[in-house]
Amino acid sequence: MRISLWRTSALIGTAAATALALAVPATAIEPGAGAAYGADAHVSLLPHVLGPGGLTVATGELAASNTSGPTTASTVDAKLQGLVSAKVITSASKHSTEDGTVTATASLVKVALPVLAALAGQTPTASVISSRCQATSTGITGSSDLADLNLGKIGSISAATPNLRIGIPGVLQIIANEQIHNADGSLTVNALHIELLGPGLAAALGSGDIVLASSTCGAATTVSTTAPTVPEVSVVPAGAPQTGDGSLATVIVH
């Protein structure tokens, strides 16, 4: 989704609304549809972070894919305005016309999170941050991977269980393997969702929202199991006009 730049003061007062807008799809996901992206950030950084005047950063969805195309996307050496960096960001979205399944994946490789350095006492890193969802005839499932994630003083968190949370009350919240069941029946999986809550943090960092490795799957489509129509075969008697030479002829009736 594309999010327009907001003024710093406006973002601080609407951080919660921004988080909701980033967490769920902007439009309904139909059965057979899926989408994914590597990263999306909308953060207001105040003075002494990214310049004396402060800065509002809205990246939009990076390396975004969709089952309607492009079905794959990638970018290398990505640097999100000093917030997040990754060596490689990729995503893929696929709808199989053979069995009706929907699959969406997103990943970041060799990730650094300088936006959290002040709180972590170091720059948090991870070797891989990824998410995946898949819709089949039995339902939609999702999973995430946070390989070698090191958040320093903030603490430890894993993607083993959906929607695990860690952070500093009123300042920072990090959700791992966030799984959102949307009203349209689709499932969104965000491998890592970082919320800078403000305004308590505003004097030091700012406020906003960062989503890393997001995948969304709509329901699988139904594949017809009806057997193909077998043409009806009849034999025309000898001497009938269809044979011409008086021999038997086979006529295929569709």
Side-chain angles (χ1 to χ4, degrees), residues 20 35 48 59 67 73 85 89-90 132-133 138 140 143 162 175 181-182 217 232 241:
L20 178 62
H48 312 299
T59 66
T67 48
S85 67
I89 302 178
T90 61
R132 172 186 173 87
C133 63
T138 60
I140 309 176
S143 62
I175 308 170
H181 294 271
N182 303 305
C217 290
E232 181 181 346

Side-chain angles (χ1 to χ4, degrees), residues 69-130:
T71 57
T72 61
S74 64
T75 185
V76 297
D77 295 323
K79 295 178 175 61
L80 281 67
Q81 297 286 348
L83 305 173
V84 180
S85 67
K87 186 65 176 177
V88 181
I89 302 178
T90 61
S91 78
S93 304
K94 180 182 178 181
H95 173 226
S96 172
T97 56
E98 295 181 359
D99 58 12
T101 60
V102 179
T103 305
T105 61
S107 67
L108 298 89
V109 177
K110 294 185 178 179
V111 187
L113 304 172
V115 67
L116 299 179
L119 296 173
Q122 64 186 64
T123 298
T125 58
S127 58
V128 176
I129 295 178
S130 66

Side-chain angles (χ1 to χ4, degrees), residues 180-237:
I180 303 168
H181 294 271
N182 303 305
D184 57 20
S186 64
L187 174 68
T188 295
V189 182
N190 299 320
L192 202 65
H193 186 175
I194 302 168
E195 298 176 341
L196 302 176
L197 301 178
L201 184 61
L205 277 178
S207 59
D209 207 83
I210 302 171
V211 174
L212 301 179
S214 179
S215 304
T216 298
C217 290
T221 53
T222 302
V223 178
S224 175
T225 57
T226 303
T229 302
V230 178
E232 181 181 346
V233 179
S234 62
V235 177
V236 179

